[in-house]
């Protein structure tokens, strides 16, 4: 038997049994996912993350893989979670991120409540940024428009 015949048999063997090599890879990925979830539950911490990119999920028209960034102890971390664009999730929006305080690389974004940044003046008179649920944001009119609106209300 020549070298080429041995090579052809090897290639045929790989074609016939390649799926067997995938079993350990799939099992490893499953165990990693389970360990990551367990780590998040045992060492639970929260922060706020902003979505900076999204890509569609193969064969799931309404699902996207959203990539986000968040800070913990002054260090920026990155993660990704799957959500539905039908829920209004998009780049630039802010949501809570649940992660492991021991390994912040283990994280997931919670898409239940959207948050927004609001600039306020703190007790010392300095400007500060707070994050509040978007549903609690109030429309703040400039003073002159607010005065005109109040006058109109009194007339009616």
């Amino acid at each position: 038997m020549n070298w080429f015949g041995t090579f052809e048999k090897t290639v045929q063997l790989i074609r016939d049994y390649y799926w067997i090599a995938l079993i350990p890879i799939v099992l490893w990925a499953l165990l990693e996912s389970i360990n990551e979830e367990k780590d998040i539950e045992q060492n639970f911490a929260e922060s706020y993350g902003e979505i900076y990119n999204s890509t569609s999920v193969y064969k799931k028209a309404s699902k996207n893989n959203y990539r986000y960034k968040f800070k913990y102890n002054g260090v920026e971390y990155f993660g990704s979670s799957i959500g539905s664009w039908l829920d209004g999730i998009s780049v630039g929006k802010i949501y809570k991120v649940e992660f492991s305080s021991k390994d912040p690389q283990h994280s997931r974004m919670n898409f239940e409540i959207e948050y927004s940044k609001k600039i306020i003046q703190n007790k010392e008179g300095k400007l500060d940024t707070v994050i509040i649920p978007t549903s609690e944001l109030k429309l703040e009119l400039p003073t002159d428009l607010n005065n005109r609106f109040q006058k109109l209300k009194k007339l009616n």
Side-chain angles (χ1 to χ4, degrees), residues 38-61:
K38 189 188 259 186
D39 185 29
I40 292 171
E41 297 302 322
Q42 290 175 345
N43 304 297
F44 185 81
E46 284 183 319
S47 185
Y48 296 95
E50 182 175 351
I51 298 172
Y52 69 89
N53 192 351
S54 73
T55 55
S56 60
V57 174
Y58 181 67
K59 290 192 175 185
K60 298 209 179 194

Side-chain angles (χ1 to χ4, degrees), residues 82-93:
I82 294 176
S84 175
W85 60 266
L86 295 172
D87 294 332
I89 302 167
S90 62
V91 173
K93 293 196 174 182

Side-chain angles (χ1 to χ4, degrees), residues 4-20:
F4 189 70
T6 305
F7 179 73
E8 279 184 336
K9 284 185 177 185
T10 303
V11 169
Q12 188 59 44
L13 186 68
I14 291 170
R15 283 186 188 146
D16 292 342
Y17 297 103
Y18 73 91
W19 58 271
I20 293 174

Side-chain angles (χ1 to χ4, degrees), residues 128-146:
D128 198 6
T129 303
V130 294
I131 297 178
I132 61 171
T134 301
S135 61
E136 293 179 14
L137 275 179
K138 296 177 183 169
L139 179 63
E140 294 179 11
L141 298 172
T143 308
D144 60 330
L145 286 176
N146 195 27

Side-chain angles (χ1 to χ4, degrees), residues 20-155:
I20 293 174
L22 292 177
I23 292 173
I25 295 169
V26 169
L27 286 175
W28 175 80
L30 181 64
L31 287 174
E32 279 296 309
S33 176
I34 291 169
N35 286 336
E36 184 173 321
E37 289 298 317
K38 189 188 259 186
D39 185 29
I40 292 171
E41 297 302 322
Q42 290 175 345
N43 304 297
F44 185 81
E46 284 183 319
S47 185
Y48 296 95
E50 182 175 351
I51 298 172
Y52 69 89
N53 192 351
S54 73
T55 55
S56 60
V57 174
Y58 181 67
K59 290 192 175 185
K60 298 209 179 194
S62 67
K63 298 285 184 181
N64 278 351
N65 184 25
Y66 295 98
R67 286 186 263 314
Y68 56 87
K69 57 187 174 183
F70 67 99
K71 284 190 176 183
Y72 176 63
N73 288 337
V75 178
E76 190 169 58
Y77 294 94
F78 298 87
S80 67
S81 289
I82 294 176
S84 175
W85 60 266
L86 295 172
D87 294 332
I89 302 167
S90 62
V91 173
K93 293 196 174 182
I94 299 170
Y95 297 93
K96 274 192 180 176
V97 176
E98 301 165 346
F99 61 94
S100 165
S101 60
K102 284 189 175 179
D103 186 0
Q105 296 291 355
H106 294 168
S107 66
R108 62 180 175 237
M109 186 166 260
N110 182 339
F111 296 113
E112 287 181 26
I113 301 172
E114 180 186 343
Y115 293 84
S116 294
K117 292 179 184 177
K118 183 176 181 180
I119 298 173
I120 61 167
Q121 194 169 17
N122 64 17
K123 293 177 183 175
E124 292 85 38
K126 295 180 181 177
L127 293 180
D128 198 6
T129 303
V130 294
I131 297 178
I132 61 171
T134 301
S135 61
E136 293 179 14
L137 275 179
K138 296 177 183 169
L139 179 63
E140 294 179 11
L141 298 172
T143 308
D144 60 330
L145 286 176
N146 195 27
N147 291 340
R148 288 171 61 189
F149 182 66
Q150 295 302 327
K151 286 179 186 177
L152 284 172
K153 280 173 80 174
K154 288 179 185 177
L155 291 175

